[in-house]
């Protein structure tokens, strides 16, 4: 099992999200057998981008990204200081308020989970095919 952890500490920074995507790509490229298919890797990077963006935007401006490679799956886990769970809402088709990310993550992942931490905050995780 391979693991990676990345601490993000910039409020709403496109650079932080870009760094998270780059780190995820590097992690996936470095995996030994079984290798991850290109389409599966793109899906993992998209989910990383969405979960980190949501954590920075709605979770208090800081987060930690953990990636874990299992034999047949990749787990993406994002920890942030907010106790508020993501929620499904109607996407805003005319404005800039979003609403697309969490439903998309739920469609792409095998499973998702939100776990409240006893010390505060939460972890949002997604399990994706390898």
């Amino acid at each position: 099992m391979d693991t990676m952890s990345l601490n993000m500490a910039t409020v709403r920074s496109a650079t932080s999200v870009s760094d998270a995507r780059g780190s995820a790509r590097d992690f996936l490229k470095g995996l030994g057998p079984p290798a991850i298919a290109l389409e599966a890797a793109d899906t993992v990077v998209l989910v990383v981008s969405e979960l980190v963006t949501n954590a920075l935007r709605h979770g208090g401006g800081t987060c930690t990204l953990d990636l874990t490679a299992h034999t047949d799956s990749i787990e993406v886990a994002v920890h942030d200081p907010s106790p508020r769970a993501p929620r499904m809402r109607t996407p805003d088709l005319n404005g800039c308020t979003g609403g697309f990310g969490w439903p998309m993550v739920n469609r792409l992942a095998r499973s998702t989970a939100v776990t409240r931490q006893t010390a505060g905050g939460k972890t949002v995780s997604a399990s994706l095919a390898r």
Side-chain angles (χ1 to χ4, degrees):
M1 180 167 54
D2 294 309
T3 62
M4 184 216 62
S5 183
L6 178 66
N7 289 309
M8 316 289 301
T10 305
V11 178
R12 293 188 185 197
S13 170
T15 303
S16 292
V17 176
S18 176
D19 289 348
R21 287 192 300 263
S23 294
R25 282 189 195 96
D26 291 345
F27 173 77
L28 296 170
K29 285 178 188 172
L31 292 178
I36 186 166
L38 180 60
E39 185 175 329
D42 288 345
T43 300
V44 170
V45 171
L46 178 58
V47 168
V48 164
S49 184
E50 288 298 326
L51 293 183
V52 168
T53 297
N54 284 349
L56 293 175
R57 180 178 291 164
H58 304 292
T62 63
C63 67
T64 301
L65 166 66
D66 292 320
L67 297 175
T68 304
H70 302 280
T71 304
D72 66 345
S73 65
I74 303 291
E75 181 183 353
V76 178
V78 177
H79 318 279
D80 70 56
S82 172
R84 288 186 50 197
R87 62 183 175 90
M88 295 288 193
R89 62 187 177 99
T90 303
D92 180 2
L93 299 175
N94 299 314
C96 298
T97 63
F100 295 93
W102 185 236
M104 180 177 56
V105 167
N106 279 276
R107 283 191 303 275
L108 293 172
R110 287 180 174 172
S111 63
T112 59
V114 179
T115 308
R116 286 195 167 79
Q117 302 302 315
T118 54
K122 67 180 172 303
T123 299
V124 178
S125 60
S127 176
L128 299 132
R130 183 166 176 166

